[in-house]
Amino acid sequence: MLARSGWRRLAPPAAPRSGRRRAGSAAPRFEVVVIGGGHAGTEAAAAAARGGARTLLLTHKIGTIGEMSCNPSFGGIGKGHLMREVDALDGLCGRICDVAGVHYKVLNRSKGPAVWGLRAQIDRRRYRDGVQKEILSTPLLTVREASVEDLLLTEPEANHPGKCQVTGVVLGDGSTVCAGSVILTTGTFLRGVILMGLETHPAGRLGDQPAVGLAQTLEKLGFTVGRLKTGTPPRLAKDTINFSGLEERVPDNPPVPFSFLSKAVWIKPEDQLSCYLTHTNLKAQQIVLDNLHLNDHVRETTKGPRYCPSFESKVLRFPNREHQVWLEPEGLESDVIYPQGLSMTLPAELQEQVIRSIPGLEKAKILQPGYGVQYDFLDPRQLTASLESRLVQRLFFAGQINGTTGYEEAAAQGIIAGINACLRVQGKPPFIVSRTEGYVGVLIDDLTTLGTTEPYRMFTSRVEFRMSLRPDNADARLTHRGFEEAGCVSQQRYEQAIQMRAALEDGIATLKSLQFSVTKWSHLVPEVPISSNRRSPLSAFDVLRYPEANMEILARAIPEPLRKLAEWRELSERLKIEAAYEWCVVNQQQEIEEVRRDEALRLPEDIDYFAIDASLSAEVREKLNSSRPQTISAVSRIPGVTPAAIINLLRFVKAEKLKAFPQTGKYLPGKMYSEKVTSQTPISAEISEEELGSTFVKTPL
């Protein structure tokens, strides 16, 4: 249990409201309480405060807020998209990475911009300090060091699912804090155990105690709890590594920022640090195979990360292969190297043998051994799309507690949970990002609809509408909604997004207005190989689609009115991408509208799938009851639910609506009713009798 510390108040609190009392004094009252100061917790707390909620962030140690517990990098394929979307909602991680990176690289450059992966090696200290500075200066946000052992609960609200309602938390010292909403972002701390060889000890992270009391409370409340594992590699001393024979990977010049607000990153291109590539060998493999009996973490049946497995797991799953090891710097002035791909839980002396069997690391010194972590997570199918629990009202979950892995996935969930916890207190509708609107929508829909049995990681391949949901247009997709609906976006960011949207619309209109024959274009831009078979006339926007074309070339050919468009670098790059993907976006629009129509068909929150009079098999009823889908679109993504079952469920929905209005035989658009009059959920789509025979979701997977 942590010693009590004083409050850190960053803004004058409102007058205290009535709440539970202890020792004769009123318990402090906040509108939103966030538990955990990791990547999910910091984004959640900052988002709730930006939305206008008096927010409290509770963490074991203020000094570890923003700590990068594992790899010293952000972004990547799929993950970079999440960072851009978090940034579009005024989140922290993108802006802070732009002032903390030491090696910026866009992955997947050989493919189109829709699947480019913005990535950066990050200076751990600069990032941690940047997050702490931001958090400790956010208006309406208070930070306190404390452990949380229990939840304060009361009777549930009417017209909302849940057996009870959370009203606050009980701290490790026995004091209480009252809250309008509570967000759990406990990471790997729920009954966390660290493993190295045959040794185990309770911890959520090296040097930090686990959350045991809270885990027991959640289990008693009826939450389905699972167990996952992860790990981290040993850290190496930079000056003991021989880089001379290794493959060097240089960063991009110029670096591409994560944030839409950043014109450039903080570091000069020439001052960036390189990464180096080496490989394991059969000697390293044999050390692992000879010592499996000394490795409890690998022998455990607990599921680990599929896409970032331990070295021992790679040896067992892919024997007799060389495996990549990336040597990554941990900071501009740091003497620590992070060997990406060498997560290990062998005893420390055996880790040293593995390390020294690898080219370039023959004399490497281990500064900190690798270790594994096993921890509890909750089945995310127990959450709504707003990340609010179905069992306990006003209780939200974000991050690894939902079965995900990675800083970016945690940050994305955190900002959505923070927004919705704030909106819940304010009595406003939840802020839901559809899977047609963003990668964060796909992430949350996958978790809340399908659940997970292994640490979930985001990839571009999980996203149906990749051509429309690109890193370059995250602001166009989400910033306006974040400002208007969530209240979490600053006026400055909103105005910048509006300005860019207007400039894009004007730029596209200007380019489309410039139309010439193929022959004339061939004279104007001879470096662009325009096919003579193309129909005339062609617009400048059509020409911009060619890989060889860009705004600079077009502006040289037609200075007026294109020079101004070409001089605005960000605008010219986005116009090029818009031109390249226009036909893809147009073709996808019909599919997107079909999915949105099905997402508008909402199911009653308290529907009893075992009792409804619908032609559904027992297996389908069990799957529906387990997943508790909120929409017909979500039903279609549940494995094992057939198109016939979807149609029968639609028939039941229509019949229930007709029962609600027997006097007219009609139903009102915008409402849907179940047997229980307390379940009233908005709906904005109608189904005719003719459509029932042929309507089922056509979500491309």
Side-chain angles (χ1 to χ4, degrees), residues 532-552:
S532 58
N533 295 326
R534 290 291 302 267
R535 289 190 304 172
S536 293
L538 285 181
S539 71
F541 198 62
D542 295 325
V543 174
L544 193 56
R545 292 194 182 105
Y546 283 83
E548 297 82 3
N550 56 47
M551 285 301 302
E552 186 179 346

Side-chain angles (χ1 to χ4, degrees), residues 68 71-75 97-105 118-124 127 249 251 258 266-267 272-276 326-332 337-338 340:
M68 301 177 72
N71 54 300
S73 63
F74 260 95
C97 281
D98 288 344
V99 296
V102 295
H103 175 117
Y104 295 87
K105 190 83 173 176
L118 280 70
R119 187 181 185 278
Q121 294 298 134
I122 305 297
D123 186 307
R124 289 185 187 274
Y127 186 86
R249 291 296 174 92
F258 285 101
W266 74 288
I267 193 171
Q272 296 182 88
L273 304 179
S274 292
C275 295
Y276 293 84
W326 288 98
L327 302 178
E328 302 174 345
E330 293 210 348
L332 201 60
I337 292 294
Y338 181 94
Q340 180 78 261

Side-chain angles (χ1 to χ4, degrees), residues 218-360:
L218 295 173
E219 208 163 35
K220 290 175 184 176
L221 284 168
F223 285 98
T224 302
V225 179
R227 195 83 172 153
L228 293 175
K229 65 182 178 182
T230 187
T232 191
R235 308 301 196 266
L236 309 178
K238 182 178 181 179
D239 57 6
T240 63
I241 297 174
N242 180 11
F243 294 100
S244 60
L246 305 182
E247 181 181 341
E248 182 180 7
R249 291 296 174 92
V250 297
D252 287 344
N253 186 0
V256 178
F258 285 101
S259 177
F260 289 101
L261 295 182
S262 301
K263 301 301 180 186
V265 300
W266 74 288
I267 193 171
K268 294 179 181 178
E270 62 271 19
D271 291 338
Q272 296 182 88
L273 304 179
S274 292
C275 295
Y276 293 84
L277 178 63
T278 184
H279 294 82
T280 64
N281 48 39
L282 294 181
K283 183 178 179 181
Q285 171 180 293
Q286 197 59 47
I287 295 170
V288 170
L289 294 176
D290 290 345
N291 294 281
L292 288 176
H293 62 288
L294 298 176
N295 196 330
D296 276 347
H297 192 62
V298 170
R299 292 190 296 172
E300 281 277 355
T301 57
T302 304
K303 285 289 186 73
R306 175 188 299 267
Y307 303 104
C308 186
S310 67
F311 177 56
E312 297 97 325
S313 296
K314 286 189 281 190
V315 165
L316 294 174
R317 287 167 53 188
F318 310 106
N320 303 319
R321 294 189 190 180
E322 292 186 346
H323 298 284
Q324 289 186 341
V325 178
W326 288 98
L327 302 178
E328 302 174 345
E330 293 210 348
L332 201 60
E333 299 175 356
S334 173
D335 188 39
V336 182
I337 292 294
Y338 181 94
Q340 180 78 261
L342 270 186
S343 172
M344 283 189 287
T345 54
L346 286 165
E349 62 275 11
L350 293 175
Q351 291 188 35
E352 184 176 36
Q353 292 182 30
V354 171
I355 290 293
R356 294 194 170 182
S357 71
I358 297 171

Side-chain angles (χ1 to χ4, degrees), residues 57 92 151-152 297 384 393 427 524 530 556 646 679:
L57 174 61
L92 310 180
L151 301 175
L152 298 176
H297 192 62
T384 68
Q393 297 169 357
L524 287 171
I530 301 173
R556 284 201 303 266
I646 297 172
S679 287

Side-chain angles (χ1 to χ4, degrees), residues 604-613 621 625 628 652 676:
E605 291 178 333
D606 59 353
I607 186 171
D608 186 345
Y609 289 105
F610 294 109
I612 61 174
D613 185 17
R621 291 176 189 267
N625 187 65
R628 306 298 303 175
F652 167 77
K676 299 179 181 179

Side-chain angles (χ1 to χ4, degrees), residues 77-140:
I77 297 172
K79 291 171 174 282
H81 292 68
L82 289 175
M83 290 189 66
R84 275 288 174 94
E85 292 178 1
V86 170
D87 182 69
L89 293 171
D90 229 354
L92 310 180
C93 60
R95 285 186 286 114
I96 295 172
C97 281
D98 288 344
V99 296
V102 295
H103 175 117
Y104 295 87
K105 190 83 173 176
V106 177
L107 307 182
N108 245 10
R109 282 275 196 182
S110 62
K111 299 183 179 179
V115 292
W116 285 355
L118 280 70
R119 187 181 185 278
Q121 294 298 134
I122 305 297
D123 186 307
R124 289 185 187 274
R125 180 185 57 79
R126 287 185 64 91
Y127 186 86
R128 183 193 63 219
D129 292 349
V131 172
Q132 291 179 15
K133 181 179 178 181
E134 185 90 23
I135 289 295
L136 296 174
S137 62
T138 298
L140 299 179

